Amino acid sequence: MNTAQSPVPFRIGHGFDVHVFTDGDHVMLGGVRVPHDRGVLAHSDGDVVLHALCDAMLGALALGDIGVHFPPSDPQWKGADSRTFLRHCDALLRGRGWRVGNADVTVVCERPKVGPHAEAMRSLIAGELGVGVGEISVKATTSEKLGFTGRGEGIAAQAVCLLVPA
């Protein structure tokens, strides 16, 4: 059955991703290189924003998660640009008659500061998905120095997206 012909006029998905900090001089967030005194340990570029968003998109249509589509055990994804993952997920949705109506991503970390880069992330994501920048939200919060993000051991992101018929 074509998913777009479902009796439900929209689909909602949620995604979450986390990476531990390691040696490095930047992190990739929402496709944007953000200067930082650490990097992330990851098989791909470790972009928690795009990974969480991809999981939300895939989850909305019950298509598994990012690890199913891009297994970390597959050497072809070593160091991969996560925009490749985002484009793949968008193509899967559109091929089933859906598109992202809007998405909201929250980054959880003490550092780096996300705010100065949020507009660039929104613009990049909107461009990749072919939607208006007003349909994409990227924001950040701290964990008040609690847990692994509060101790500066890693970074996390969660995302929710609404899919509408294409």
Side-chain angles (χ1 to χ4, degrees), residues 59-139:
L61 292 182
L63 297 174
D65 62 31
I66 196 169
V68 169
H69 295 265
F70 303 98
S73 58
D74 188 336
Q76 75 174 312
W77 305 122
K78 179 73 176 157
D81 182 335
S82 294
R83 292 177 298 175
T84 302
F85 305 163
L86 186 64
R87 291 179 199 126
H88 172 81
C89 293
D90 188 48
L92 284 176
L93 303 183
R94 290 180 184 275
R96 287 165 172 76
W98 296 92
R99 68 174 180 83
V100 171
N102 76 297
D104 181 26
V105 182
T106 303
V107 181
V108 182
C109 63
E110 300 295 323
R111 295 180 38 247
K113 294 298 180 192
V114 173
H117 309 280
E119 289 306 310
M121 292 178 219
R122 291 178 64 213
S123 180
L124 185 140
I125 293 167
E128 293 289 349
L129 298 178
V131 301
V133 73
E135 278 63 64
I136 305 298
S137 170
V138 175
K139 58 196 185 306

Side-chain angles (χ1 to χ4, degrees), residues 140-152:
T141 190
T142 69
S143 54
E144 299 295 328
K145 301 194 190 257
L146 298 172
F148 74 93
T149 58
R151 291 187 300 270

